[in-house]
mmCIF file of all heavy atoms in Angstrom:
data_model
loop_
_atom_site.group_PDB
_atom_site.id
_atom_site.type_symbol
_atom_site.label_atom_id
_atom_site.label_comp_id
_atom_site.label_asym_id
_atom_site.label_seq_id
_atom_site.Cartn_x
_atom_site.Cartn_y
_atom_site.Cartn_z
ATOM 1 N N ALA A 1715 -23.843 6.222 -3.133
ATOM 2 C CA ALA A 1715 -24.867 7.330 -3.548
ATOM 3 C C ALA A 1715 -25.900 6.631 -4.341
ATOM 4 O O ALA A 1715 -26.919 7.133 -4.634
ATOM 5 C CB ALA A 1715 -24.086 8.394 -4.329
ATOM 6 N N ARG A 1716 -25.727 5.318 -4.754
ATOM 7 C CA ARG A 1716 -26.608 4.551 -5.536
ATOM 8 C C ARG A 1716 -27.568 3.719 -4.864
ATOM 9 O O ARG A 1716 -28.761 3.411 -5.274
ATOM 10 C CB ARG A 1716 -25.874 3.775 -6.621
ATOM 11 C CG ARG A 1716 -25.062 4.753 -7.544
ATOM 12 C CD ARG A 1716 -24.375 3.983 -8.641
ATOM 13 N NE ARG A 1716 -24.039 4.897 -9.804
ATOM 14 C CZ ARG A 1716 -24.686 5.296 -10.734
ATOM 15 N NH1 ARG A 1716 -26.022 4.865 -10.831
ATOM 16 N NH2 ARG A 1716 -24.213 6.052 -11.651
ATOM 17 N N MET A 1717 -27.076 3.102 -3.721
ATOM 18 C CA MET A 1717 -27.789 2.133 -3.079
ATOM 19 C C MET A 1717 -27.771 2.424 -1.461
ATOM 20 O O MET A 1717 -26.775 2.116 -0.772
ATOM 21 C CB MET A 1717 -27.319 0.763 -3.443
ATOM 22 C CG MET A 1717 -27.903 -0.324 -2.559
ATOM 23 S SD MET A 1717 -29.651 -0.492 -2.751
ATOM 24 C CE MET A 1717 -29.885 -0.798 -4.413
ATOM 25 N N PRO A 1718 -28.806 3.042 -0.900
ATOM 26 C CA PRO A 1718 -28.865 3.393 0.397
ATOM 27 C C PRO A 1718 -28.510 2.138 1.213
ATOM 28 O O PRO A 1718 -29.061 1.075 1.047
ATOM 29 C CB PRO A 1718 -30.230 3.878 0.813
ATOM 30 C CG PRO A 1718 -30.674 4.207 -0.531
ATOM 31 C CD PRO A 1718 -30.145 3.405 -1.705
ATOM 32 N N GLY A 1719 -27.715 2.178 2.223
ATOM 33 C CA GLY A 1719 -27.276 1.063 3.088
ATOM 34 C C GLY A 1719 -26.231 0.240 2.774
ATOM 35 O O GLY A 1719 -25.768 -0.692 3.467
ATOM 36 N N LEU A 1720 -25.646 0.587 1.604
ATOM 37 C CA LEU A 1720 -24.343 -0.164 0.984
ATOM 38 C C LEU A 1720 -23.246 0.572 1.266
ATOM 39 O O LEU A 1720 -23.188 1.769 0.855
ATOM 40 C CB LEU A 1720 -24.668 -0.547 -0.439
ATOM 41 C CG LEU A 1720 -23.604 -1.275 -1.220
ATOM 42 C CD1 LEU A 1720 -23.254 -2.656 -0.466
ATOM 43 C CD2 LEU A 1720 -23.961 -1.394 -2.618
ATOM 44 N N TYR A 1721 -22.250 0.042 1.844
ATOM 45 C CA TYR A 1721 -21.007 0.804 2.153
ATOM 46 C C TYR A 1721 -19.723 0.098 1.550
ATOM 47 O O TYR A 1721 -19.795 -1.243 1.542
ATOM 48 C CB TYR A 1721 -20.657 0.944 3.594
ATOM 49 C CG TYR A 1721 -21.841 1.674 4.403
ATOM 50 C CD1 TYR A 1721 -23.067 0.989 4.725
ATOM 51 C CD2 TYR A 1721 -21.811 2.998 4.790
ATOM 52 C CE1 TYR A 1721 -24.113 1.502 5.401
ATOM 53 C CE2 TYR A 1721 -22.865 3.574 5.415
ATOM 54 C CZ TYR A 1721 -23.948 2.866 5.684
ATOM 55 O OH TYR A 1721 -24.963 3.536 6.264
ATOM 56 N N PHE A 1722 -18.742 0.787 1.177
ATOM 57 C CA PHE A 1722 -17.437 0.235 0.664
ATOM 58 C C PHE A 1722 -16.298 0.824 1.500
ATOM 59 O O PHE A 1722 -16.265 1.968 1.617
ATOM 60 C CB PHE A 1722 -17.301 0.474 -0.828
ATOM 61 C CG PHE A 1722 -18.178 -0.268 -1.739
ATOM 62 C CD1 PHE A 1722 -19.325 0.364 -2.129
ATOM 63 C CD2 PHE A 1722 -18.028 -1.568 -2.115
ATOM 64 C CE1 PHE A 1722 -20.287 -0.208 -2.912
ATOM 65 C CE2 PHE A 1722 -18.889 -2.249 -2.946
ATOM 66 C CZ PHE A 1722 -19.980 -1.560 -3.358
ATOM 67 N N ILE A 1723 -15.437 -0.035 2.004
ATOM 68 C CA ILE A 1723 -14.289 0.578 2.859
ATOM 69 C C ILE A 1723 -13.102 -0.096 2.533
ATOM 70 O O ILE A 1723 -12.907 -1.177 1.796
ATOM 71 C CB ILE A 1723 -14.684 0.398 4.439
ATOM 72 C CG1 ILE A 1723 -14.872 -1.123 4.667
ATOM 73 C CG2 ILE A 1723 -15.924 1.218 4.711
ATOM 74 C CD1 ILE A 1723 -15.081 -1.266 6.257
ATOM 75 N N GLY A 1724 -11.956 0.388 3.036
ATOM 76 C CA GLY A 1724 -10.653 -0.219 2.996
ATOM 77 C C GLY A 1724 -9.933 -0.201 1.531
ATOM 78 O O GLY A 1724 -10.307 0.706 0.797
ATOM 79 N N GLU A 1725 -9.256 -1.145 1.272
ATOM 80 C CA GLU A 1725 -8.568 -1.258 0.059
ATOM 81 C C GLU A 1725 -9.422 -1.422 -1.113
ATOM 82 O O GLU A 1725 -8.976 -1.142 -2.319
ATOM 83 C CB GLU A 1725 -7.617 -2.364 0.037
ATOM 84 C CG GLU A 1725 -6.375 -2.212 -0.950
ATOM 85 C CD GLU A 1725 -5.406 -3.340 -0.792
ATOM 86 O OE1 GLU A 1725 -5.108 -3.673 0.326
ATOM 87 O OE2 GLU A 1725 -5.099 -3.864 -1.809
ATOM 88 N N ALA A 1726 -10.641 -1.871 -0.984
ATOM 89 C CA ALA A 1726 -11.565 -2.044 -2.119
ATOM 90 C C ALA A 1726 -11.895 -0.739 -2.794
ATOM 91 O O ALA A 1726 -12.316 -0.756 -3.952
ATOM 92 C CB ALA A 1726 -12.879 -2.729 -1.577
ATOM 93 N N VAL A 1727 -11.851 0.322 -2.098
ATOM 94 C CA VAL A 1727 -12.173 1.668 -2.811
ATOM 95 C C VAL A 1727 -10.859 2.206 -3.431
ATOM 96 O O VAL A 1727 -9.745 1.938 -2.981
ATOM 97 C CB VAL A 1727 -12.897 2.573 -1.795
ATOM 98 C CG1 VAL A 1727 -14.069 2.001 -1.129
ATOM 99 C CG2 VAL A 1727 -11.930 3.049 -0.747
ATOM 100 N N ASP A 1728 -11.070 3.232 -4.283
ATOM 101 C CA ASP A 1728 -10.006 3.811 -4.933
ATOM 102 C C ASP A 1728 -9.217 4.815 -4.044
ATOM 103 O O ASP A 1728 -9.272 6.059 -4.242
ATOM 104 C CB ASP A 1728 -10.501 4.563 -6.268
ATOM 105 C CG ASP A 1728 -9.514 5.439 -6.957
ATOM 106 O OD1 ASP A 1728 -8.346 4.978 -6.910
ATOM 107 O OD2 ASP A 1728 -9.927 6.381 -7.479
ATOM 108 N N VAL A 1729 -8.695 4.396 -3.060
ATOM 109 C CA VAL A 1729 -7.765 5.260 -2.072
ATOM 110 C C VAL A 1729 -6.636 4.331 -1.881
ATOM 111 O O VAL A 1729 -6.754 3.156 -1.246
ATOM 112 C CB VAL A 1729 -8.419 5.428 -0.852
ATOM 113 C CG1 VAL A 1729 -7.468 6.247 0.034
ATOM 114 C CG2 VAL A 1729 -9.675 6.352 -1.122
ATOM 115 N N THR A 1730 -5.316 4.639 -2.306
ATOM 116 C CA THR A 1730 -4.140 3.930 -2.280
ATOM 117 C C THR A 1730 -3.200 4.691 -1.508
ATOM 118 O O THR A 1730 -2.636 5.705 -1.918
ATOM 119 C CB THR A 1730 -3.714 3.417 -3.659
ATOM 120 O OG1 THR A 1730 -4.677 2.905 -4.363
ATOM 121 C CG2 THR A 1730 -2.477 2.494 -3.527
ATOM 122 N N GLY A 1731 -2.712 4.074 -0.310
ATOM 123 C CA GLY A 1731 -1.774 4.836 0.375
ATOM 124 C C GLY A 1731 -0.193 4.553 0.080
ATOM 125 O O GLY A 1731 -0.002 3.586 -0.581
ATOM 126 N N TRP A 1732 0.585 5.463 0.393
ATOM 127 C CA TRP A 1732 2.070 5.166 0.233
ATOM 128 C C TRP A 1732 2.474 3.971 1.117
ATOM 129 O O TRP A 1732 1.625 3.524 2.042
ATOM 130 C CB TRP A 1732 2.923 6.435 0.821
ATOM 131 C CG TRP A 1732 2.825 7.564 -0.115
ATOM 132 C CD1 TRP A 1732 2.033 7.720 -1.227
ATOM 133 C CD2 TRP A 1732 3.612 8.701 0.176
ATOM 134 N NE1 TRP A 1732 2.343 8.934 -1.687
ATOM 135 C CE2 TRP A 1732 3.081 9.653 -0.842
ATOM 136 C CE3 TRP A 1732 4.331 9.298 1.087
ATOM 137 C CZ2 TRP A 1732 3.671 11.016 -0.957
ATOM 138 C CZ3 TRP A 1732 4.824 10.497 1.103
ATOM 139 C CH2 TRP A 1732 4.493 11.377 0.041
ATOM 140 N N LEU A 1733 3.536 3.421 0.884
ATOM 141 C CA LEU A 1733 4.131 2.497 1.751
ATOM 142 C C LEU A 1733 4.526 3.189 3.121
ATOM 143 O O LEU A 1733 4.883 4.411 3.125
ATOM 144 C CB LEU A 1733 5.534 2.086 1.097
ATOM 145 C CG LEU A 1733 6.232 0.843 1.894
ATOM 146 C CD1 LEU A 1733 5.561 -0.396 1.436
ATOM 147 C CD2 LEU A 1733 7.707 0.859 1.483
ATOM 148 N N GLY A 1734 4.229 2.454 4.172
ATOM 149 C CA GLY A 1734 4.755 3.075 5.597
ATOM 150 C C GLY A 1734 3.523 3.218 6.463
ATOM 151 O O GLY A 1734 3.674 4.145 7.364
ATOM 152 N N GLY A 1735 2.596 2.389 6.429
ATOM 153 C CA GLY A 1735 1.474 2.255 7.446
ATOM 154 C C GLY A 1735 0.309 3.077 7.081
ATOM 155 O O GLY A 1735 -0.813 3.190 7.700
ATOM 156 N N TYR A 1736 0.344 3.773 5.796
ATOM 157 C CA TYR A 1736 -0.665 4.632 5.471
ATOM 158 C C TYR A 1736 -1.927 3.765 4.979
ATOM 159 O O TYR A 1736 -3.161 4.216 5.182
ATOM 160 C CB TYR A 1736 -0.244 5.435 4.202
ATOM 161 C CG TYR A 1736 0.786 6.332 4.588
ATOM 162 C CD1 TYR A 1736 2.102 6.017 4.169
ATOM 163 C CD2 TYR A 1736 0.575 7.599 5.222
ATOM 164 C CE1 TYR A 1736 3.209 6.888 4.569
ATOM 165 C CE2 TYR A 1736 1.801 8.358 5.456
ATOM 166 C CZ TYR A 1736 2.909 8.016 5.079
ATOM 167 O OH TYR A 1736 3.851 8.857 5.497
ATOM 168 N N ASN A 1737 -1.771 2.526 4.543
ATOM 169 C CA ASN A 1737 -2.878 1.864 4.053
ATOM 170 C C ASN A 1737 -3.828 1.251 5.139
ATOM 171 O O ASN A 1737 -4.997 1.245 5.166
ATOM 172 C CB ASN A 1737 -2.439 0.585 3.095
ATOM 173 C CG ASN A 1737 -2.119 1.115 1.646
ATOM 174 O OD1 ASN A 1737 -2.985 1.799 1.049
ATOM 175 N ND2 ASN A 1737 -0.851 1.217 1.413
ATOM 176 N N PHE A 1738 -3.010 0.891 6.316
ATOM 177 C CA PHE A 1738 -3.792 0.430 7.406
ATOM 178 C C PHE A 1738 -4.532 1.651 8.060
ATOM 179 O O PHE A 1738 -5.646 1.487 8.573
ATOM 180 C CB PHE A 1738 -2.938 -0.168 8.459
ATOM 181 C CG PHE A 1738 -2.635 -1.633 8.257
ATOM 182 C CD1 PHE A 1738 -1.293 -2.171 8.324
ATOM 183 C CD2 PHE A 1738 -3.642 -2.556 7.833
ATOM 184 C CE1 PHE A 1738 -1.007 -3.572 8.025
ATOM 185 C CE2 PHE A 1738 -3.343 -3.892 7.482
ATOM 186 C CZ PHE A 1738 -2.106 -4.318 7.648
ATOM 187 N N GLN A 1739 -3.823 2.828 8.032
ATOM 188 C CA GLN A 1739 -4.664 4.016 8.718
ATOM 189 C C GLN A 1739 -5.935 4.264 7.795
ATOM 190 O O GLN A 1739 -6.860 4.525 8.462
ATOM 191 C CB GLN A 1739 -3.816 5.258 8.708
ATOM 192 C CG GLN A 1739 -4.323 6.454 9.343
ATOM 193 C CD GLN A 1739 -4.763 6.207 10.913
ATOM 194 O OE1 GLN A 1739 -4.106 5.229 11.621
ATOM 195 N NE2 GLN A 1739 -5.841 6.667 11.285
ATOM 196 N N TRP A 1740 -5.797 4.032 6.570
ATOM 197 C CA TRP A 1740 -7.001 4.244 5.781
ATOM 198 C C TRP A 1740 -8.124 3.150 6.110
ATOM 199 O O TRP A 1740 -9.270 3.319 6.172
ATOM 200 C CB TRP A 1740 -6.704 4.206 4.271
ATOM 201 C CG TRP A 1740 -8.024 4.161 3.458
ATOM 202 C CD1 TRP A 1740 -8.439 3.112 2.609
ATOM 203 C CD2 TRP A 1740 -9.030 5.130 3.242
ATOM 204 N NE1 TRP A 1740 -9.662 3.363 2.096
ATOM 205 C CE2 TRP A 1740 -10.002 4.703 2.456
ATOM 206 C CE3 TRP A 1740 -9.157 6.358 3.929
ATOM 207 C CZ2 TRP A 1740 -11.206 5.312 2.238
ATOM 208 C CZ3 TRP A 1740 -10.369 7.042 3.603
ATOM 209 C CH2 TRP A 1740 -11.368 6.580 2.830
ATOM 210 N N ALA A 1741 -7.615 1.922 6.298
ATOM 211 C CA ALA A 1741 -8.523 0.828 6.575
ATOM 212 C C ALA A 1741 -9.185 1.178 7.923
ATOM 213 O O ALA A 1741 -10.423 1.014 8.140
ATOM 214 C CB ALA A 1741 -7.800 -0.441 6.804
ATOM 215 N N TRP A 1742 -8.314 1.672 9.018
ATOM 216 C CA TRP A 1742 -9.068 2.002 10.268
ATOM 217 C C TRP A 1742 -10.091 3.114 10.154
ATOM 218 O O TRP A 1742 -11.143 3.012 10.557
ATOM 219 C CB TRP A 1742 -7.978 2.353 11.284
ATOM 220 C CG TRP A 1742 -6.741 1.697 11.467
ATOM 221 C CD1 TRP A 1742 -5.499 2.104 11.685
ATOM 222 C CD2 TRP A 1742 -6.603 0.105 11.424
ATOM 223 N NE1 TRP A 1742 -4.583 1.055 11.737
ATOM 224 C CE2 TRP A 1742 -5.107 -0.130 11.564
ATOM 225 C CE3 TRP A 1742 -7.346 -0.881 11.250
ATOM 226 C CZ2 TRP A 1742 -4.800 -1.433 11.796
ATOM 227 C CZ3 TRP A 1742 -7.004 -2.143 11.366
ATOM 228 C CH2 TRP A 1742 -5.570 -2.452 11.594
ATOM 229 N N ALA A 1743 -9.587 4.185 9.518
ATOM 230 C CA ALA A 1743 -10.444 5.504 9.350
ATOM 231 C C ALA A 1743 -11.635 5.155 8.594
ATOM 232 O O ALA A 1743 -12.740 5.597 9.045
ATOM 233 C CB ALA A 1743 -9.634 6.597 8.806
ATOM 234 N N SER A 1744 -11.529 4.433 7.348
ATOM 235 C CA SER A 1744 -12.824 4.249 6.639
ATOM 236 C C SER A 1744 -13.671 3.344 7.296
ATOM 237 O O SER A 1744 -14.976 3.404 7.299
ATOM 238 C CB SER A 1744 -12.485 3.773 5.331
ATOM 239 O OG SER A 1744 -11.715 2.537 5.232
ATOM 240 N N GLY A 1745 -13.104 2.275 8.015
ATOM 241 C CA GLY A 1745 -13.881 1.314 8.916
ATOM 242 C C GLY A 1745 -14.778 1.984 9.921
ATOM 243 O O GLY A 1745 -15.941 1.798 10.165
ATOM 244 N N VAL A 1746 -14.071 2.940 10.659
ATOM 245 C CA VAL A 1746 -14.765 3.670 11.685
ATOM 246 C C VAL A 1746 -15.861 4.449 11.156
ATOM 247 O O VAL A 1746 -16.971 4.499 11.622
ATOM 248 C CB VAL A 1746 -13.688 4.536 12.508
ATOM 249 C CG1 VAL A 1746 -14.512 5.474 13.434
ATOM 250 C CG2 VAL A 1746 -12.771 3.678 13.294
ATOM 251 N N ALA A 1747 -15.635 5.203 10.043
ATOM 252 C CA ALA A 1747 -16.572 6.233 9.473
ATOM 253 C C ALA A 1747 -17.909 5.378 9.117
ATOM 254 O O ALA A 1747 -19.002 5.667 9.361
ATOM 255 C CB ALA A 1747 -16.053 6.757 8.233
ATOM 256 N N ALA A 1748 -17.615 4.207 8.355
ATOM 257 C CA ALA A 1748 -18.778 3.250 7.955
ATOM 258 C C ALA A 1748 -19.436 2.579 9.030
ATOM 259 O O ALA A 1748 -20.711 2.508 9.086
ATOM 260 C CB ALA A 1748 -18.347 2.316 6.890
ATOM 261 N N GLY A 1749 -18.682 2.234 10.088
ATOM 262 C CA GLY A 1749 -19.277 1.544 11.304
ATOM 263 C C GLY A 1749 -20.265 2.515 11.983
ATOM 264 O O GLY A 1749 -21.376 2.026 12.384
ATOM 265 N N GLN A 1750 -19.744 3.733 12.220
ATOM 266 C CA GLN A 1750 -20.685 4.694 12.918
ATOM 267 C C GLN A 1750 -22.025 4.990 12.118
ATOM 268 O O GLN A 1750 -23.058 4.961 12.573
ATOM 269 C CB GLN A 1750 -20.009 5.985 13.136
ATOM 270 C CG GLN A 1750 -18.865 5.812 14.209
ATOM 271 C CD GLN A 1750 -17.905 7.153 14.226
ATOM 272 O OE1 GLN A 1750 -17.902 7.844 13.426
ATOM 273 N NE2 GLN A 1750 -17.125 7.060 15.446
ATOM 274 N N ALA A 1751 -21.637 5.184 10.702
ATOM 275 C CA ALA A 1751 -22.845 5.629 9.799
ATOM 276 C C ALA A 1751 -23.866 4.359 9.673
ATOM 277 O O ALA A 1751 -25.067 4.569 9.725
ATOM 278 C CB ALA A 1751 -22.257 6.006 8.424
ATOM 279 N N ALA A 1752 -23.283 3.197 9.640
ATOM 280 C CA ALA A 1752 -24.248 1.982 9.454
ATOM 281 C C ALA A 1752 -25.131 1.842 10.608
ATOM 282 O O ALA A 1752 -26.241 1.362 10.457
ATOM 283 C CB ALA A 1752 -23.465 0.763 9.111
ATOM 284 N N VAL A 1753 -24.604 2.143 11.821
ATOM 285 C CA VAL A 1753 -25.405 2.073 13.101
ATOM 286 C C VAL A 1753 -26.666 2.981 12.893
ATOM 287 O O VAL A 1753 -27.720 2.587 13.134
ATOM 288 C CB VAL A 1753 -24.584 2.298 14.235
ATOM 289 C CG1 VAL A 1753 -25.463 2.401 15.510
ATOM 290 C CG2 VAL A 1753 -23.514 1.349 14.463
ATOM 291 N N GLU A 1754 -26.344 4.199 12.559
ATOM 292 C CA GLU A 1754 -27.406 5.200 12.370
ATOM 293 C C GLU A 1754 -28.378 4.718 11.282
ATOM 294 O O GLU A 1754 -29.652 4.851 11.492
ATOM 295 C CB GLU A 1754 -26.742 6.616 12.101
ATOM 296 C CG GLU A 1754 -26.060 7.278 13.117
ATOM 297 C CD GLU A 1754 -26.781 7.240 14.464
ATOM 298 O OE1 GLU A 1754 -28.054 7.614 14.433
ATOM 299 O OE2 GLU A 1754 -26.237 6.824 15.475
#
Side-chain angles (χ1 to χ4, degrees):
R1716 296 187 167 273
M1717 177 53 62
L1720 177 65
Y1721 301 78
F1722 293 91
I1723 59 174
E1725 197 182 314
V1727 307
D1728 171 36
V1729 173
T1730 307
W1732 289 0
L1733 186 78
Y1736 299 99
N1737 284 297
F1738 279 135
Q1739 187 57 35
W1740 170 246
W1742 316 137
S1744 58
V1746 169
Q1750 290 168 343
V1753 171
E1754 290 311 315

